[in-house]
Amino acid sequence: MEVDKMNEADWKYHGEGNKSLVVSHVQLSRVLRFLKYPAEDSENPPQTVEQAYRQIQNTVDFSSNVMSSLLGDKFIHSGEVVKLPLEFVRQLSIKVQQQRPAWRCDKVMDIYSGCALCLPNLTSPVLHQQTHTPTLCIEIKPKCGFLPSSKHVSKDIKTKVCRFCMHQHYKVANGKWKRRSLYCPLDLFSGNRQRMQFAIRHLTEEPQNNFKIFKGGQCIYSSKEGSDDSPDLNLLLHHLRPYFMNGNKRINSHMTSKAVLNDFIQVLVDALLSGGGEVMDRRGDGRSFCEASLFNKERVRHASPGLPSDSVLFRILQTQMLDMLDIEGLYPLYRRVEQHLQDFPKERSRLQIDGPYDEDFLEKLQKCPADDDCSVEHAVTKVHQYRVAMTAKDCSIMVTLVPSAEEKDDDDDDEGPRRVSVVRPPAFSCSVSVLDLDPKPFDSVARQLRLDQKIVSCYQRTGGTLPKAALPTLPAIFSAAEREECTLLFHPV
Ligand SMILES: O=P(O)(O)O[C@@H]1[C@@H](OP(=O)(O)O)[C@H](OP(=O)(O)O)[C@H](O)[C@H](OP(=O)(O)O)[C@H]1OP(=O)(O)O
Ligand SMILES: Nc1ncnc2c1ncn2[C@@H]1O[C@H](COP(=O)(O)OP(=O)(O)OP(=O)(O)O)[C@@H](O)[C@H]1O
């Protein structure tokens, strides 16, 4: 990619989150990730070019020096900062504006710095393309996968119902989403296949910002915030069906929608459990089951033990668990650092509050003693651990499924009788990556405490119940009995 020959015609809108907007190249497997600013700052950019460059470089450093070591470098693509011609960036921002969802337009793309993060396009990889069938990519934002057990937790409910499930009530009450998602991260992170399938089925039913599907680089399935409509599951099944039609038992036979969805979910679970390593037993860990999950608790007793130690979910969970104190235990330490910085503003740099995110930063947070010696150094390291855990609680997993070349068991050797070709069951080569690994700003800790209090008090106010209209509607592929019995599991077909 030659930055001095950039043409907006070669790029198209790809997606966005709260703080970045992503465009993809129409031919190359590349994306550019731009910063976003609040719309009210659009006349006066809130940062200088140098600051914007530094912010993106910090993301690269944090990803490559800190997160990559914790999560495993096989999952990480840190990318590189690029400096682009301003005219290209301005034309691009005009071009993509129409495709942006209205609810994300409270922020505008940074058109002032010319800086962006250049990354491989994980939704349309060029390598290993064995067939002409487009690649399928599934993006999951799993959120926090454990219950806090810190002695600082003041509300008992936080040790029983997970943050995601409680947050759902707050989001519905505030109109962010019309319907509650029945997905529970603790089921996904359980390592138990049935619980994981159950979790993914609920992600499929109500994706919100936790689940997206791409085919050949195009997003074909996602939620629209504030929308009354659920995404079209039948359309998704129409896209998925050809990928799952070649199972042994299904030659020329009809495959039900439920079977297509089951197969898809099973492939996804396989990908999430891949990576190898010892299976880590979590059966004795009281933090791994959420009371708000609809998964039948009886089945948990007979559940398989846990996640393989080299799987993406295990590595993310371990990193999330660097939050050992919970926000309630962490906040006094944050205040200690904040006070220290008010008294000695120049200490900001020595304490690496805004980076650099180098090996030294990683070493300090890995060697932090559990006991508080009342020093600012201890407090800041705990805050850094918490910020790293926040990143792991907010990252996304991208599972790329490349269909293998169709193999045929022709058996058409010269000796035996000629038999009908039998196509083998669906096979994909899969790769797993983690994205959105930005360092969370130091002062986001204060916001976390306020949000935690709001979420818990909203949940306690509503007693964990929501109006019926706020429950997801099961799509037509499920039978009347399944609609009534939400806990029903997928059965092998
Ligand atoms: O605080 P949470 O748990 O609501 O997470 C925020 C996300 O909301 P979610 O609940 O996933 O819909 C939020 O996602 P959305 O904007 O809701 O899609 C952002 O990811 C936000 O991160 P940042 O401030 O942009 O760095 C996330 O904020 P932090 O990770 O900084 O807390
Ligand atoms: N390397 C990539 N390849 C393909 N798609 C990507 C890549 N990076 C990001 N995306 C897409 O762009 C979207 C927005 O990117 P990202 O999640 O990094 O934004 P964000 O603003 O940091 O999100 P958040 O709201 O979580 O803070 C992602 O959800 C994903 O669909």
Side-chain angles (χ1 to χ4, degrees), residues 17-19 103-104 141 143 163 167 171 176 209 390 394 436 440 444 447-448 451:
N18 180 40
K19 61 182 180 313
W103 61 279
R104 288 288 190 194
K141 189 179 186 180
K143 302 299 285 191
R163 154 68 176 253
H167 202 172
K171 286 180 177 177
K176 177 158 181 175
N209 61 348
M390 274 179 81
D394 197 43
D436 196 5
K440 299 289 178 179
S444 59
R447 181 191 151 269
Q448 273 300 321
L451 184 59

Side-chain angles (χ1 to χ4, degrees), residues 229-250:
D229 306 326
S230 296
D232 189 343
L233 191 64
N234 285 322
L235 184 61
L236 171 65
L237 290 163
H238 171 79
H239 282 293
L240 294 181
R241 189 173 286 276
Y243 291 86
F244 297 92
M245 277 305 281
N246 57 349
N248 268 336
K249 295 176 217 148
R250 295 176 192 129

Side-chain angles (χ1 to χ4, degrees), residues 138-293:
I138 300 92
E139 184 179 340
I140 301 177
K141 189 179 186 180
K143 302 299 285 191
C144 183
F146 69 97
L147 292 169
S149 58
S150 157
K151 62 176 194 254
H152 303 281
V153 169
S154 64
K155 301 280 191 288
D156 203 31
I157 193 72
K158 281 172 63 177
T159 64
K160 293 180 177 151
V161 177
C162 84
R163 154 68 176 253
F164 180 89
C165 290
M166 278 200 275
H167 202 172
Q168 281 296 308
H169 288 247
Y170 183 71
K171 286 180 177 177
V172 171
N174 286 285
K176 177 158 181 175
W177 300 107
K178 287 275 190 298
R179 283 172 303 277
R180 182 200 154 178
S181 159
L182 297 176
Y183 161 70
C184 175
L186 273 59
D187 288 330
L188 187 74
F189 281 99
S190 68
N192 171 251
R193 284 183 162 272
Q194 287 188 322
R195 281 179 76 185
M196 292 176 73
Q197 286 167 16
F198 189 77
I200 296 171
R201 186 182 118 184
H202 288 305
L203 283 173
T204 316
E205 282 166 11
E206 196 60 38
Q208 297 192 353
N209 61 348
N210 304 98
F211 194 69
K212 282 182 208 161
I213 302 178
F214 298 82
K215 181 178 148 191
Q218 305 281 344
C219 184
I220 54 161
Y221 195 69
S222 66
S223 278
K224 290 183 179 50
E225 196 164 347
S227 160
D228 283 337
D229 306 326
S230 296
D232 189 343
L233 191 64
N234 285 322
L235 184 61
L236 171 65
L237 290 163
H238 171 79
H239 282 293
L240 294 181
R241 189 173 286 276
Y243 291 86
F244 297 92
M245 277 305 281
N246 57 349
N248 268 336
K249 295 176 217 148
R250 295 176 192 129
I251 299 305
N252 296 328
S253 71
H254 177 68
M255 194 183 176
T256 65
S257 295
K258 219 166 81 177
V260 172
L261 198 56
N262 273 338
D263 280 8
F264 168 67
I265 291 175
Q266 277 181 33
V267 167
L268 199 45
V269 168
D270 286 343
L272 292 171
L273 290 176
S274 67
E278 192 191 338
V279 173
M280 309 309 277
D281 196 337
R282 286 188 78 205
R283 278 174 298 192
D285 181 355
R287 297 191 285 172
S288 58
F289 192 81
C290 164
E291 286 187 4
S293 165

